[in-house]
Amino acid sequence: MALPPAQAASLLARDAGEQWAREFLRQFERQVGENQLERLMATWDMSAALVARVFGVSRQAVAKWRGHGVPADRSVAMA
């Protein structure tokens, strides 16, 4: 059985240490951001070129987003 998120966060922060928990959160948010773009592309059967046109960026920018996560200024539009 999975722990409720608040309880899991409390245990991680207490047992692993604040620095580890912050790095975990940073990495987790990065993964979620990347997955969000991949989910968008898969759900709507979108190519990188189409995503680039929708967001008004280059295909190279989309490739960078796929590797490093969607920039914060584009996260609202991505949602």
Side-chain angles (χ1 to χ4, degrees):
M1 176 178 223
L3 293 175
Q7 186 179 358
S10 178
L11 290 171
L12 279 174
R14 184 191 73 214
D15 295 343
E18 184 178 339
Q19 190 66 14
W20 185 92
R22 287 185 188 280
E23 179 61 18
F24 173 83
L25 179 59
R26 189 179 74 77
Q27 294 295 328
F28 183 77
E29 286 175 338
R30 182 174 177 227
Q31 292 296 318
V32 170
E34 290 172 351
N35 290 339
Q36 185 179 24
L37 176 58
E38 296 299 329
R39 278 194 308 270
L40 172 80
M41 293 176 74
T43 299
W44 296 101
D45 194 26
M46 297 174 76
S47 66
L50 181 54
V51 171
R53 282 196 302 267
V54 168
F55 286 98
V57 298
S58 68
R59 286 178 291 138
Q60 293 81 1
V62 174
K64 185 177 178 183
W65 294 1
R66 292 176 89 176
H68 301 287
V70 177
D73 64 328
R74 301 288 182 156
S75 63
V76 171
M78 181 64 59

